[in-house]
Amino acid sequence: MVATILRDPDAAKKLFEAILDSPNGKRSLSRLARTCRAMSEPALDVLWRELDSIVPILGLFPNAVLKKAKRPGMGFARIPEESDWDLVVKYSERIRRIAYDELANNVAASVFPILDDHRPTLYILPQLQEIIWRAESPAGLDRCSMFLTPHLRSIQLEVGANFKQAQMTAFLADMSSRSLLTFFSFNSPTSLPEAFTELLIRQEALEKVILVAPGALSAGVGRWASNLPNLKSLQLDLTGRSSIAVEGFFDDIHPRSGCSTPSSISTDSGIFSGEELDFSELRKSALRVTEDRLPSRTSFSQLKRLQLTGEAGNIAVFLRHLPSPLVQLDLVIEDPPDNADWQDLSVLVSEEFSESLQALRISATGASRFADLVRTTSRAEPVSRRLSLEGFTDLPRLTRLEVDLPESVIFLPSDLEAIALSCPRLEILKLCPLARFSHNSMGPRLTLDHLAVLTKRCKHLHTVGAVFNAGEGSREIMASQAYSSCSLVRLHVGHSWISDPLQVSIFLSHVAPRLENLKSFQEKNRPGFNEANAKSWQTVSDILPHLQQLRYRERTFAKVAEVTYPKTVDVGIDATPVLVNRGVTAAGPRMCSQEIQCTPALVSRSVDAVKRSISISVDATPPTVEMAVEAKPVMVSTEIDATISFESKEIDATPSPESRENRIMSSQILQQLYLIPSILGFVSFLYKYLITYPLTISSRVGLQLMARPTTRFPFNTKPTGFSLDRAANRSTASSDTSDITMETINVCH
């Protein structure tokens, strides 16, 4: 059998999902995944498909990376390396849904920056399709950004009150640009961003939208929601809104007629502007009377499921303007509802959605359930009020009707008769099965005889949940087989009262011979528990299967006894056919020749299509100007008389006898002084030929080279060469150059 299941992936998936939904399902499925390799992969896929926290993902890291291996949410002891991500990457492909709750405080805030900065892939969960994120701070909402992937299809956001418009706007813009959603839910105590519709204008594939926030009933949101081409499910909160505000949701959807509408009723009396009267009741009555409904044919074209929360009067106003044929309607109303508003709502549902509505659920708001919880905690007696179902008159397609209210739990036999007449195709009926009645009260008003009315008219009814005052059934019902239902298999009686278990068992074996599940409350710690009733219903559960088996045998015997052979009679029939001759004149058809002249009228037209051309010449000769510049260098000749002047003096140099020795010494000194001119002459010679002449020659050559390009010569003439001879220098010194020749300088030898 196991091999057969594993051959069909769909069958294996259904089996593992059933195991997961059972008590301790995750533990059982994890053990099954470790049983064999053939069952490991499909079991792990189901086990890791939906996670209620990111703690299991953190537990995939090695123990050395985490601060505490048994509590991965406390954070990392060190930065994970690339090899530490192997197991995370392997299992991340299986995850399809993840949830996060900041108030749970089971994951340290330091974990998210490390995951975001050191992830080895672009997306941590590449196959993620659904996110459920509850944040109380902007930092908690920013952590959701790392899980936004192109495969994401569903986002459920629940944020606190500590958010600014700019922070929410930035997140919605990022989310809308990175994903294409089919389901979007936004729950916030603060109002929607002003640019909410512009931020989600790209999300045209939305099929389900939930908006529970102030500003969700604005005209802009209504226009945006009505234009979604694939919108099939819508949930709105009308709590605390006026009828005019609810009507404003449709202001931009359908045009106004120009007539006086309830929204145009002024609250000013016109006499004293300071004294205003309350026209709320007048508006409600006007909304009931006026049926100014001009919905657009294209608005909410695909809407099939609708859930509205609030007062019954506001819900009725909303449904009057809705043009869609709803299939499922969920009403979360304030309990107890106003009697007049509830009657209008029930009649409106029967009139507007009689041909399409298949499921109707009525439950209480959170505030109503909280009030009931407070009464239960304080040991107070439950408050029982009547909720009339007689307003539902014509719902031929309705298959599911559920009512779950904490206070409006009293139902009369007329309610069941109205349901049986208006809902012939009903399959599931639940009328406050959790209700409890104290012994001081009158108890439940419904009996098992009234259940038989449903089994007679609703042939498809298979599940019933209600509180009965069970007793002995009537003889008329026991004697008729029309009240016996072959479809009723589940009966939930809750805190029902019971008198005689045997009589109840006999009656149920007749009314519901195929009943498989009889459920009642057996928990002693449940509020409203009655031990005597619980034991009696347990006795019914034990006796009923045996009585059903007995009745089945009796029906089998009755069928055998009723078999009789039919009487036979010989009858002769004359089967001679009657023949009739008939002739039909088939004259040729009449021919008619008709001609139609269809000569077309022709018109000849010519069009002059000569292209006009213009010849334009442009003188593009650039203007030139010739200018001559005289670049003759200015020569200056300068002479300097460097002749040394001599002066002759006579000196008596005859030495005296006394200074002979001095003369001898002076003569020696003079001999040495005579050598000085020779030395000076040699130095002068070296200076003249080794230093002065090369410098003079190079300076002259440089001046001639610099003056040559700017000097103009006539044609057929050549520039005169320059001679470096001493004679040439002497002849041209005064006219060609301003240099001073070395010959003009007299040097003393």
Side-chain angles (χ1 to χ4, degrees), residues 135-143 145 157 159-175 186 190-194 199:
E136 294 294 327
S137 63
L141 185 61
D142 292 339
R143 296 166 191 162
S145 300
L157 295 179
V159 298
N162 301 323
F163 284 86
K164 297 180 180 179
Q165 292 284 338
Q167 298 168 346
M168 187 58 62
T169 300
F171 176 80
L172 292 178
D174 183 31
M175 178 204 69
F186 185 81
T190 59
S191 60
L192 293 176
E194 295 181 358
L199 295 173

Side-chain angles (χ1 to χ4, degrees), residues 320 340-354 389-395:
R320 281 192 179 94
D341 293 340
W342 170 251
Q343 292 295 331
D344 292 342
L345 178 59
S346 58
V347 172
L348 177 65
V349 171
S350 301
E351 292 178 353
E352 296 294 332
F353 311 108
S354 60
L389 301 180
E390 298 177 6
F392 298 109
T393 56
D394 186 16
L395 296 172

Side-chain angles (χ1 to χ4, degrees), residues 262-331:
S263 60
S264 64
I265 300 175
S266 174
T267 60
D268 195 352
S269 61
I271 302 174
F272 302 102
S273 58
E275 299 179 0
E276 296 184 355
L277 302 178
D278 187 10
F279 284 88
S280 58
E281 296 299 330
L282 181 59
R283 292 193 190 95
K284 290 183 179 180
S285 61
L287 286 172
R288 298 189 191 105
V289 175
T290 59
E291 296 184 356
D292 182 16
R293 301 187 298 273
L294 298 174
S296 174
R297 294 181 179 178
T298 59
S299 61
F300 299 108
S301 57
Q302 300 294 328
L303 187 61
K304 301 300 180 183
R305 293 179 291 274
L306 178 64
Q307 179 175 345
L308 299 177
T309 304
E311 301 177 355
N314 290 341
I315 295 176
V317 172
F318 191 93
L319 293 179
R320 281 192 179 94
H321 292 79
L322 194 66
S324 305
L326 297 179
V327 174
Q328 178 178 337
L329 180 61
D330 296 340
L331 305 179

Side-chain angles (χ1 to χ4, degrees), residues 270-508:
I271 302 174
F272 302 102
S273 58
E275 299 179 0
E276 296 184 355
L277 302 178
D278 187 10
F279 284 88
S280 58
E281 296 299 330
L282 181 59
R283 292 193 190 95
K284 290 183 179 180
S285 61
L287 286 172
R288 298 189 191 105
V289 175
T290 59
E291 296 184 356
D292 182 16
R293 301 187 298 273
L294 298 174
S296 174
R297 294 181 179 178
T298 59
S299 61
F300 299 108
S301 57
Q302 300 294 328
L303 187 61
K304 301 300 180 183
R305 293 179 291 274
L306 178 64
Q307 179 175 345
L308 299 177
T309 304
E311 301 177 355
N314 290 341
I315 295 176
V317 172
F318 191 93
L319 293 179
R320 281 192 179 94
H321 292 79
L322 194 66
S324 305
L326 297 179
V327 174
Q328 178 178 337
L329 180 61
D330 296 340
L331 305 179
V332 185
I333 61 176
E334 297 286 347
D335 188 34
D338 182 73
N339 190 22
D341 293 340
W342 170 251
Q343 292 295 331
D344 292 342
L345 178 59
S346 58
V347 172
L348 177 65
V349 171
S350 301
E351 292 178 353
E352 296 294 332
F353 311 108
S354 60
E355 298 298 330
S356 61
L357 192 61
Q358 299 179 8
L360 176 61
R361 297 174 181 173
I362 302 170
S363 58
T365 59
S368 301
R369 295 191 180 278
F370 179 75
D372 180 67
L373 180 62
V374 171
R375 285 192 300 270
T376 304
T377 307
S378 62
R379 303 297 180 182
E381 293 295 335
V383 180
S384 300
R385 292 183 174 88
R386 166 168 162 69
L387 184 70
S388 176
L389 301 180
E390 298 177 6
F392 298 109
T393 56
D394 186 16
L395 296 172
R397 296 182 179 272
L398 190 67
T399 60
R400 188 184 190 100
L401 176 60
E402 297 183 9
V403 180
D404 185 12
L405 299 175
E407 295 187 13
S408 303
V409 295
I410 298 178
F411 299 97
L412 300 180
S414 58
D415 297 328
L416 293 186
E417 292 178 0
I419 293 175
L421 291 175
S422 61
C423 308
R425 300 183 62 181
L426 192 64
E427 298 178 1
I428 300 175
L429 176 64
K430 294 182 180 180
L431 300 178
C432 300
L434 305 180
R436 58 192 185 277
F437 295 88
S438 63
H439 291 281
N440 299 328
S441 63
M442 297 180 61
R445 311 294 175 83
L446 300 178
T447 63
L448 293 181
D449 292 343
H450 305 134
L451 175 64
V453 176
L454 291 174
T455 58
K456 179 181 180 181
R457 295 184 178 273
C458 303
K459 297 301 182 180
H460 304 281
L461 186 65
H462 58 77
T463 302
V464 175
V467 180
F468 299 96
N469 190 356
E472 184 179 357
S474 63
R475 295 182 179 180
E476 180 184 356
I477 296 176
M478 296 293 294
S480 176
Q481 194 177 356
Y483 294 95
S484 181
S485 175
C486 297
S487 60
L488 185 60
V489 294
R490 286 179 290 273
L491 179 62
H492 185 192
V493 294
H495 292 289
S496 295
W497 294 9
I498 184 172
S499 58
D500 189 353
L502 180 59
Q503 295 294 334
V504 172
S505 300
I506 295 173
F507 184 84
L508 290 179

